[in-house]
Amino acid sequence: MFQNVSNDSVLGDVQLQDQHVKILHIEDSVADQALARLSLKRGPLSCTLTAVDTLPAIEDALQKQTFDLILADYYLPGFTALDVWELVRTRADAPPFVLLSGAIGESAAVDIMRLGISDYLLKDQISSLPHVIQRAMEVHEARLARRRAMQELAQSEKRLAELTEHLHTSIEQERANISREIHDDIGGSLTAVKFDLAWMSRNSPEGALREHAQSALAMLEHALGASQRIMQNLRPPVLDQGLVAAVQWLTQDFERRTGIPAQLHTSREHMEIAPAQQVAVYRTAQESLTNISKYAQASRVTLDLSDHEGFLTLEVTDNGVGLAPEAREKTQSFGLRGLSERARTVNGWLDVSSHPGRGTSIILTIPLTDTDT
């Protein structure tokens, strides 16, 4: 059975503050129920107590009402406060839980509190009950606020990750479109002009006209080479031949441009990898090699690409000067941060291992759970 004590009761609420607390009081002693109500009446909080003394009555009360706090004796006929705690601790709206008992030692109460119970109070100290309840409520509100803040932070991080993924996808698509336009429009026009200049150079008489034609032809060759490099950087056509071929081309191009020996090791010659994962690996290799050429002062570079045990892994290692820890935290250092964010867009992660004077190793790992995406 349970018994509501309302404002109409002699032992009802006393409005000392605007806050009103609904308490489920689990106690089989009528005298102890009255003492608890009297103690709370003298406190600063306005309270309504619902007294219950059996497990069925507790379950019924919890189904019918929402309580701000549970106040429970430890030993009751046929059950203990731990049985009640098991009923409420997994509830999403679980209120703070306070023990008010005269039959439990302090060490045992501390052990119980480790289970998640908010606080405890001996019955011979019942005059402190209003303070204990107020403190339990404040701690509970602080926990709820922290939980809400963490949920909001998680939602914010999720939205940021979705935005990052959208940006990366949009950028890659725009790169592909620009590369295609350069190839189809600008490249085609420059090639046509090249044929015309070559004809003019062949059919012009010796003199200034032929010299100008040949000079224009040389400049045009330079423009064609520049457009090819821009297209390769935007979206290399070699990606259409597969990830291994693309990274192999990137390695050879790096060695040709910088003169630094670079070697690629792969677990197989061809890998069936989703397009988004291919782009993430390719851009990671590209950015890593760019950083090496700018800062590492390396004399040797090694790339390892494998797809063992359900994970796609790229490791780029150099023997350069290494990366100082403070260099990773620079406010304008977006290279590694960008690679980390790109890895997250394909559910992967980036690890950086570096020691000053002993080189740097950048490892990208992507789970191959859905290569058809």
Side-chain angles (χ1 to χ4, degrees), residues 165-178:
E165 181 178 0
H166 172 70
L167 289 176
H168 280 304
T169 303
S170 300
I171 289 171
E172 290 299 335
Q173 185 61 49
E174 190 64 23
R175 282 177 168 177
N177 293 338
I178 294 173

Side-chain angles (χ1 to χ4, degrees), residues 32-183:
D32 288 343
Q33 292 175 15
L35 284 174
R37 290 194 293 269
L38 183 60
S39 177
L40 291 174
K41 179 180 179 181
R42 295 171 178 170
L45 296 178
S46 169
C47 301
T48 297
L49 274 73
T50 299
V52 292
D53 56 8
T54 66
L55 277 177
I58 294 169
E59 294 178 352
D60 187 45
L62 290 173
Q63 290 177 357
K64 292 181 178 179
Q65 300 183 52
T66 299
F67 294 95
D68 300 309
L69 184 136
I70 295 177
L71 180 66
D73 190 4
Y74 186 74
Y75 290 110
L76 294 106
F79 67 100
T80 69
L82 293 183
D83 298 312
V84 182
W85 176 242
E86 288 298 319
L87 287 177
V88 301
R89 68 180 183 85
T90 57
R91 293 166 62 105
D93 59 345
F97 196 108
V98 175
L99 281 177
L100 176 61
S101 178
I104 184 172
E106 185 172 345
S107 60
V110 172
D111 291 337
I112 291 172
M113 286 178 62
R114 290 174 180 166
L115 300 176
I117 290 177
S118 303
D119 208 341
Y120 80 97
L121 182 67
L122 299 178
K123 287 185 176 179
D124 57 7
Q125 300 172 346
I126 198 168
S127 60
S128 301
L129 182 60
H131 172 71
V132 171
I133 287 181
Q134 187 171 14
R135 182 177 61 189
M137 294 290 298
E138 291 172 352
V139 172
H140 182 67
E141 287 299 323
R143 287 176 178 171
L144 290 179
R146 182 174 180 270
R147 186 183 305 168
R148 287 191 295 267
M150 292 180 66
Q151 291 173 346
E152 291 173 2
L153 178 60
Q155 289 295 324
S156 177
E157 290 178 344
K158 180 182 178 182
R159 290 191 295 268
L160 180 60
E162 292 171 349
L163 175 61
T164 302
E165 181 178 0
H166 172 70
L167 289 176
H168 280 304
T169 303
S170 300
I171 289 171
E172 290 299 335
Q173 185 61 49
E174 190 64 23
R175 282 177 168 177
N177 293 338
I178 294 173
S179 176
R180 191 178 303 111
E181 290 181 9
I182 291 175
H183 179 272

Side-chain angles (χ1 to χ4, degrees), residues 160-223:
L160 180 60
E162 292 171 349
L163 175 61
T164 302
E165 181 178 0
H166 172 70
L167 289 176
H168 280 304
T169 303
S170 300
I171 289 171
E172 290 299 335
Q173 185 61 49
E174 190 64 23
R175 282 177 168 177
N177 293 338
I178 294 173
S179 176
R180 191 178 303 111
E181 290 181 9
I182 291 175
H183 179 272
D184 296 342
D185 298 337
I186 299 176
S189 300
L190 290 177
T191 301
V193 174
K194 176 183 174 181
F195 287 141
D196 290 339
L197 285 173
W199 183 88
M200 291 174 59
S201 177
R202 289 193 305 270
N203 294 278
S204 297
E206 293 285 347
L209 183 60
R210 177 175 290 188
E211 291 177 0
H212 279 295
Q214 291 175 345
S215 177
L217 189 60
M219 291 295 296
L220 191 60
E221 289 286 358
H222 176 76

Side-chain angles (χ1 to χ4, degrees), residues 12 44 110 242 254 315:
V110 172
F254 169 82
E315 181 174 0

Side-chain angles (χ1 to χ4, degrees), residues 228-240:
Q228 290 290 332
R229 289 193 302 272
I230 293 172
M231 283 190 296
Q232 292 287 356
N233 289 329
L234 287 172
R235 208 280 180 181
V238 72
L239 266 177
D240 296 331

